[in-house]
């Protein structure tokens, strides 16, 4: 069965490389307010788990801004920190959305016909934002995830949707009423309820009539955690968050998870860049990365890299595998084969700093597996016997952990 499926897989990969270019690039951003990383990891969340297993990225992300909803959602949707977008609390006073708008406005400077929609439970996030260029803004009742996912599913059935933001507030409300803690059953139940709502939204996404011809990037993130019955401070419980992303061209590099520190130091509202380690900030998913990654995905086929645009002056970074300055899988693995052309054997060289499981597989040009070696390896070289194989061109595929790279190999 393996050998029958494999040529289809190889063909699918080859077709995929060309078909991707013609697929319409779209983004779904799901926001879950007030969800601690430790609580999310312990809750029973099959829908988020499935997304996490499929792609990643990290249960170790950090709120590097103010641990309050207004400033954090603004950073996620504008791609800049609060010194630029101006929002330091939930009144949305001092906002600077004309100079630093939602990324949807920036996207439409390049692709004016993009259709952008939001379904949101928390009124300030709709009512107090301007210059976001959403085509459709729908309020749903606060904390009513079942209604929100149902409305969002209806909107997602619309073929013309290019960006969709869906926001759930139930977890934060549970935290405020009875405690932000993995030991609070009401808080954990709220997380599990929202996970079910996420499942409904994802079903609606997969059921889109044109889904096969679309290239969706899905990002799920929270704004902050909490401690006791609130948040707004700099404790780990408030700052330790997570991010989940799912898409065809996200980088597979595991983020370091190192805490970069917080801009929200000493006095809330005073911007103190010195308190943040900018190297760690680049290695960890943070709020401003949401807008930049989403924008990069939407505009990728136009050649626009959002971080290169001086007029936009964005603070976040892109987590697409193709983003400048981010290591590709090829760069990470550094696969080399020697000799090539080969005859009796080939030596395979690679980088395996994390000492992961390594599998080398050789395919012929019909996509049939003709040879395979599999080992847990602590070195950076393995040999493969080629004895008895006919002369010709082959494809050597190397899997290191979850990363896969390949190279063509000639046998003489
Ligand atoms: Zn809150």
């Amino acid at each position: 069965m393996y050998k029958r499926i494999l040529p289809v897989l190889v063909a699918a990969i080859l077709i995929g490389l060309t078909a991707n270019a013609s697929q319409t690039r779209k983004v779904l951003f799901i926001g879950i307010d007030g969800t601690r990383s430790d609580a999310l990891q312990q809750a029973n969340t099959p829908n988020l788990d499935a997304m996490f297993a499929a792609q990643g990225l990290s249960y170790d992300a950090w709120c590097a801004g103010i641990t309050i909803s207004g400033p954090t959602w603004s950073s996620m949707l504008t791609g800049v920190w609060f010194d630029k977008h101006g929002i330091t609390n939930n009144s949305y006073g001092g906002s600077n959305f004309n100079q630093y708008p939602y990324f949807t406005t920036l996207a439409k400077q390049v692709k004016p016909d993009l259709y952008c929609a939001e379904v949101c439970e928390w009124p300030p996030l709709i009512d107090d934002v301007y210059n976001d260029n959403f085509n459709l803004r729908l309020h749903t009742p606060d904390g009513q995830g079942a209604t929100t996912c149902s409305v969002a599913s209806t909107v997602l059935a619309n073929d013309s949707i290019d960006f969709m933001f869906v926001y759930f507030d139930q977890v934060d409300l549970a935290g405020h009423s009875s405690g932000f803690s993995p030991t609070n059953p009401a808080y954990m139940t709220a997380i599990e309820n929202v996970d079910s709502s996420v499942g409904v939204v994802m079903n609606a996404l997969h059921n889109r009539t044109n889904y096969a011809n679309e290239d969706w990037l899905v990002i799920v993130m929270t704004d902050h955690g909490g401690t006791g019955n609130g948040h707004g401070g700099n404790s780990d419980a408030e700052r330790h968050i997570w991010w989940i992303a799912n898409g065809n061209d996200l980088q597979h590099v595991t983020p370091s998870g190192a805490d970069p520190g917080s801009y929200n130091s000493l006095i809330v509202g005073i911007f103190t860049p010195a308190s943040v380690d900018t190297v760690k900030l680049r290695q960890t998913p943070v709020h401003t990365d949401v807008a930049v990654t989403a924008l990069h995905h939407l505009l990728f086929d136009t050649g626009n890299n959002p971080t290169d645009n001086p007029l936009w002056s964005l603070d976040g970074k892109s987590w697409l595998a193709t983003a400048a300055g981010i290591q590709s899988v090829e760069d990470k693995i550094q696969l080399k084969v020697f000799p090539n052309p080969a005859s009796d054997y080939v030596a395979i060289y690679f980088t395996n700093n994390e000492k992961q499981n390594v599998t080398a597989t050789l395919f012929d040009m019909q996509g049939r597996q003709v040879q395979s070696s599999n080992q847990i390896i602590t070195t950076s070289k393995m040999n493969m016997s080629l004895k008895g194989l006919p002369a010709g061109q082959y494809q050597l595929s190397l899997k290191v952990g979850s990363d896969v790279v390949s190279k063509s190999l000639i046998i003489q």
Side-chain angles (χ1 to χ4, degrees):
M1 191 165 142
Y2 185 48
K3 286 192 175 178
R4 284 182 59 85
I5 289 172
L6 209 56
V8 177
L9 279 179
V10 171
I13 291 164
L14 294 174
I15 291 164
L17 288 174
T18 48
N20 264 347
S22 62
Q23 286 182 325
T24 315
R25 306 175 73 89
K26 295 172 184 277
V27 175
L28 170 64
F29 175 33
I30 300 174
I32 307 176
D33 206 292
T35 310
R36 287 170 54 143
S37 180
D38 55 357
L40 178 63
Q41 290 173 64
Q42 291 168 53
N44 179 22
T45 54
N47 297 294
L48 290 169
D49 292 350
M51 246 191 264
F52 196 86
Q55 187 79 57
L57 288 167
S58 184
Y59 285 122
D60 289 313
W62 296 89
C63 178
I66 301 168
T67 57
I68 294 174
S69 295
T72 42
W73 291 111
S74 298
S75 289
M76 282 185 261
L77 287 153
T78 61
V80 298
W81 299 111
F82 60 87
D83 65 319
K84 290 180 180 170
H85 62 60
I87 294 159
T88 54
N89 57 50
N90 289 344
S91 77
Y92 277 72
S95 56
N96 193 18
F97 290 128
N98 280 330
Q99 193 178 352
Y100 295 99
Y102 272 29
F103 78 86
T104 38
T105 293
L106 304 180
K108 287 185 180 193
Q109 291 174 8
V110 181
K111 288 183 170 178
D113 295 334
L114 289 177
Y115 192 93
C116 304
E118 70 176 324
V119 178
C120 177
E121 298 176 5
W122 189 50
L125 197 45
I126 292 189
D127 297 342
D128 300 333
V129 173
Y130 54 92
N131 196 25
D132 58 13
N133 271 287
F134 276 111
N135 302 75
L136 183 69
R137 297 159 140 218
L138 296 173
H139 279 263
T140 47
D142 209 6
Q144 304 295 311
T147 304
T148 302
C149 68
S150 153
V151 171
S153 300
T154 305
V155 176
L156 265 179
N158 182 340
D159 270 351
S160 59
I161 290 278
D162 295 298
F163 170 68
M164 172 100 178
F165 174 44
V166 186
Y167 166 97
F168 296 100
D169 205 11
Q170 189 184 347
V171 180
D172 190 66
L173 295 174
H176 284 294
S177 75
S178 57
F180 289 84
S181 167
T183 61
N184 173 13
Y187 185 68
M188 298 300 276
T189 299
I191 294 175
E192 291 169 2
N193 287 344
V194 170
D195 178 73
S196 301
S197 297
V198 169
V200 172
V201 173
M202 291 305 291
N203 266 339
L205 182 75
H206 296 146
N207 288 336
R208 287 172 58 81
T209 50
N210 208 25
Y211 184 75
N213 299 314
E214 297 170 343
D215 177 6
W216 280 90
L217 170 68
V218 182
I219 298 174
V220 193
M221 204 176 191
T222 193
D223 49 352
H224 52 71
T227 181
N229 287 62
H231 51 83
N234 284 332
S235 68
D236 279 8
E238 291 156 287
R239 295 187 50 247
H240 188 188
I241 53 171
W242 46 272
W243 106 311
I244 295 172
N246 200 291
N248 290 328
D249 53 0
L250 281 161
Q251 63 165 322
H252 292 249
V253 178
T254 307
S256 77
D259 181 359
S262 173
Y263 290 113
N264 178 31
S265 68
L266 302 178
I267 305 165
V268 171
I270 302 297
F271 191 58
T272 52
S275 60
V276 169
D277 181 328
T278 53
V279 173
K280 288 179 181 167
L281 196 71
R282 269 199 75 76
Q283 296 164 343
T284 300
V286 290
H287 287 133
T288 50
D289 300 347
V290 172
V292 174
T293 305
L295 195 53
H296 194 196
H297 182 80
L298 285 174
L299 301 184
F300 189 78
D301 47 6
T302 67
N304 278 267
N305 187 338
T307 51
D308 291 346
N309 189 327
L311 295 176
W312 292 352
S313 187
L314 298 172
D315 294 324
K317 61 192 172 292
S318 170
W319 284 91
L320 296 196
T322 42
I326 292 177
Q327 200 177 32
S328 68
V329 177
E330 283 75 15
D331 288 344
K332 182 183 173 192
I333 304 299
Q334 300 272 340
L335 170 62
K336 294 178 189 72
V337 293
F338 185 85
N340 189 10
S343 45
D344 286 343
Y345 80 98
V346 63
I348 304 161
Y349 297 85
F350 48 91
T351 305
N352 184 16
N353 291 335
E354 289 149 33
K355 307 208 184 318
Q356 304 183 86
N357 241 327
V358 179
T359 309
T361 311
L362 192 65
F363 301 101
D364 66 15
M365 289 317 283
Q366 283 72 48
R368 290 178 299 221
Q369 179 185 332
V370 295
Q371 185 65 282
S372 164
S373 320
N374 187 345
Q375 57 192 103
I376 297 168
I377 194 165
T378 53
T379 65
S380 54
K381 179 192 171 192
M382 62 202 285
N383 288 336
M384 178 184 273
S385 169
L386 305 174
K387 284 195 176 110
L389 293 174
Q393 193 176 339
Y394 294 79
Q395 196 73 15
L396 179 82
S397 167
L398 188 77
K399 188 168 185 225
V400 180
S402 61
D403 295 325
V404 181
V405 288
S406 67
K407 243 188 179 32
S408 62
L409 174 71
I410 291 166
I411 298 180
Q412 1 174 260

